[in-house]
Structures are given as structure tokens and as C-alpha cells.
Amino acid sequence: MWVIATIIAALAQTGRNAAQAGLTGQIGTIGATAVRFFFGLPFAIAFLIAMSFSQQLPVPTLLTFAWAATGATAQIAATAFMLITMRGQGFGVATALMKTEPVTLAVFGTVFLAEPLGPARFIAISICVLGVILISGASWSRANQRSVAIGIVAGALFGLSAIGFRGAILSLPEGGAVLRASIVLVIALTMQTIAMLLWMALRDRAALGAIARSWRISIAAGALGAFASLFWFIGFALTSAANVRTLALVEVLFAQAVSTRLFRQGATPRQIAGIGLVVTGVAVLIRVA
């Protein structure tokens, strides 16, 4: 079930990214990032209300809010570091550095949630990450140490955010995977919406007006974002966050397939080798998870 949930989340996130990409030129990077929280929250709340008619909602504890706050804050910070890396080194290097997330995530899971890593899982995760780095086609000759360090920190923060969300889900006293994922999603999106609203009200009020004017495509991006996040969280409820985020690397394969099919962009030998590594790593991970 966690494999299905993760693949659904990866597909939905691809659609959300496409919608957000069209918004960046209209409302700026910060505005496009905020859209996923502002317009995703109403959909998350509506889904949770619908579930409340058939199930008893567990009451979140202080630990739930603490874990959710950790995940929400780390995710916002990771996004900021990611944007800094992209400005300094370009998309290829930044993407490759972001995809080191599963490695640091596996370590965080062992330290903070006492989730056993094991040599087989670590090898599978490392194979997948290496494959994605090869697929990215990043030109490392121009990468400076500062930007590389910032990119690795961003990947680590994305990993920490996943640990925070899984910790929040596990802290709920009862309920199925979908129900607990829905509750934590609403809590996290509420925190992130408040934080982004305060920041933009103080530092970027023009972007708030631009978001309001682009509400139609923002709704689509928000809906897809909430849908993707729900299935990420369902995956976190069913297995370790490292397993989910490693399998999520298949999103790179989706992107490569689209490039080949629609844009007639053939894969280089280096990228073909990377694809083989990702497929191998995912197969090993599913077998040992």
C-alpha cells in the first residue's frame, strides 16, 4: 500500500509542479511557493470534515503539534535554501543536491524515531541517489563549495521535514493511516499558511495581490498540492519516511520519459546508467522494506 500511495503522490506532485511553474512568472517564486499552502489548506480541511462523518477523529497531543511544527518549519527553510542553490548553481546541480535527501533522511529516522536502517536499505537508498545524480546531468565543474554545502543542507532539511511529519502521524493515539495523515496534513498546512501570510504581509504585500488575481490556476495548484501531500503522508503513516522518499525518486524517471516522448530529447549513456541504478535501487528497497 505504501508503494501505491507514494507513486500516486509522485504523479500528483508532477502535476502540481507544472501548475506552479506557470505561476512563477506571474507572481514570483515566493508567491508560487505560498500557493501550495494557501489554496491547499481548504481542500485538506474539506477532506478531513468528510472523513469525520464516518470516523471518530483522534485528538492531537502536544507532541503531535511539536512534530508537525518541526516538519512545517523545516520544509519552508528547505525551500528557501533550494532557491538559493538554484540561483547560484543552476537547476541541474540544485536538483542533484536535493535528491541526497533520502540518505540524510534515513540517518534522521534512525536517530529521532529509532527506525532500524540496516545495510541492505542503506545500499538501496544510496544506489537510487547515485542514479538520480547521474540522470540530472549536473555540471559539477562549476559548482562551488558554498553552494554545494547549501544544497546538501536543503536536502537534509527536506529530510527533517519528512521525519517531523511522520513523527506527528505516529504520535496520534489512534485511527487508520488515511485519517491520521489527514489530521497532520491540516495541522501542517495551517501552520505554513499562517507563517507565509505573516511573512508576505510584512515583506511582500504585492505578491499577495498577485496571488489573488491568479486565483483560478492557484486553485488547481493548491488542489493538486493537497492531493499529493495527503498521499505522501499516507505513505509516512505506513512505512519509514526514508522508504517513501527513496521510492519517490521514480518521479525523475517520469520526467525523463516525458522529455523523450514529447520533446524528442534522447538520453545520454550517463543518464541511461542512472536510470538503471534507480530501477535497481528501488527494486532492492521494495524487496527489503
Side-chain angles (χ1 to χ4, degrees), residues 61-77 160-161 163-165 167-168 171 184 187-192 195:
T61 64
L62 289 177
L63 186 59
T64 304
F65 286 102
W67 276 118
T70 299
T73 304
Q75 190 175 59
I76 292 175
L160 182 60
S161 72
I163 289 297
F165 296 141
S171 71
V184 173
I187 293 172
L189 284 177
T190 299
M191 292 176 174
Q192 291 169 322

Side-chain angles (χ1 to χ4, degrees), residues 255-289:
Q256 184 64 39
V258 170
S259 296
T260 302
R261 180 79 175 178
L262 297 182
F263 303 109
R264 308 300 180 186
Q265 297 174 347
T268 66
R270 173 180 169 179
Q271 290 173 320
I272 292 173
I275 291 171
L277 287 174
V278 171
V279 172
T280 301
V282 166
V284 173
L285 179 70
I286 292 175
R287 183 175 180 84
V288 303

Side-chain angles (χ1 to χ4, degrees), residues 96 99-100 102-103 120-136 242-243 245-250 252-253 273-286:
K99 298 308 181 182
T100 60
V103 176
R121 286 182 62 226
F122 186 78
I123 290 172
I125 291 169
S126 299
I127 289 173
C128 287
V129 170
L130 177 59
V132 170
I133 291 175
L134 292 178
I135 294 170
S136 71
N243 288 347
R245 298 305 294 166
T246 302
L247 180 58
L249 296 179
V250 298
V252 177
L253 304 185
I275 291 171
L277 287 174
V278 171
V279 172
T280 301
V282 166
V284 173
L285 179 70
I286 292 175

Side-chain angles (χ1 to χ4, degrees), residues 217-229:
I217 190 170
S218 295
I219 288 177
L224 283 170
F227 186 77
S229 295

Side-chain angles (χ1 to χ4, degrees), residues 152-252:
I152 293 175
V153 169
L157 285 170
F158 276 122
L160 182 60
S161 72
I163 289 297
F165 296 141
R166 175 161 166 80
I169 291 169
L170 295 179
S171 71
L172 289 172
E174 56 188 6
V178 177
L179 180 62
R180 289 183 291 139
S182 301
I183 292 173
V184 173
L185 178 60
V186 169
I187 293 172
L189 284 177
T190 299
M191 292 176 174
Q192 291 169 322
T193 296
I194 293 172
M196 291 299 292
L197 276 174
L198 290 174
W199 172 265
M200 296 178 73
L202 294 173
R203 303 294 297 272
D204 197 357
R205 293 185 181 182
L208 285 174
I211 290 174
R213 290 190 295 273
S214 303
W215 63 271
R216 289 183 178 84
I217 190 170
S218 295
I219 288 177
L224 283 170
F227 186 77
S229 295
L230 175 62
F231 278 90
W232 287 133
F233 283 25
I234 291 173
F236 294 156
L238 295 171
T239 188
S240 73
N243 288 347
V244 173
R245 298 305 294 166
T246 302
L247 180 58
L249 296 179
V250 298
E251 183 183 348
V252 177

